[in-house]
Amino acid sequence: MGDECVFCEIVRGNAPASVVYEDAMTMAFIGPRQFHAGHTLVIPRGHFRDVRDLDPETGAAVMATVSRITRAVGLAFPNQGLSLWHSIGEAAFQEVPHLHIHVHPRKLDDDFLRIYPHAPALPDQDTRDRYAAQVRAHLD
């Protein structure tokens, strides 16, 4: 675990958190900021900077917890939808360098997490095929 990671401190029990769920590999707790009530964070107990560092077993455990927590948040808090997100790095506004998945209740027209600041490009099939080949070349 990271030495100065607030989420690792929560896992150790050395930092306060309103814990919703925990098992051997994951934890879920209420996020410190609540744009809409019920915003919950799901983390692995082990220190992983982001999803790219996960081993298959931990990744499966995180996704199982995300699914369980998403169902519960959706039932517990008023919403017209839910958003899940994980940010990686400065450009994506990752604030805590420990993988965490946000589970966030949404309201119609809340303008929270607007995906595109303007209409995105719609590349043709050849371009999309070229992009797919670029990604395939880096699969391990």
Side-chain angles (χ1 to χ4, degrees), residues 5-24:
C5 172
V6 66
F7 290 170
C8 288
E9 289 300 306
I10 288 171
V11 169
R12 291 185 191 109
N14 296 333
S18 298
V19 176
V20 171
Y21 174 81
E22 54 188 318
D23 61 27

Side-chain angles (χ1 to χ4, degrees), residues 27 67 95 131:
M27 286 184 79
S67 178
E95 295 176 339
Y131 292 167

Side-chain angles (χ1 to χ4, degrees), residues 4-8 33 41 47-50 86-87 93-100:
E4 296 182 30
C5 172
V6 66
F7 290 170
C8 288
R33 290 180 287 209
L41 303 176
H47 185 83
F48 297 89
R49 280 191 66 80
D50 61 64
H86 165 55
S87 298
F93 305 105
Q94 182 180 13
E95 295 176 339
V96 178
H98 185 122
L99 182 145
H100 54 290

Side-chain angles (χ1 to χ4, degrees), residues 2 16 27 32 37 53-55 58 64 71 74 119 123 126:
M27 286 184 79
D53 296 335
L54 285 177
D55 58 84
T58 305
R71 279 191 300 275
D126 289 340

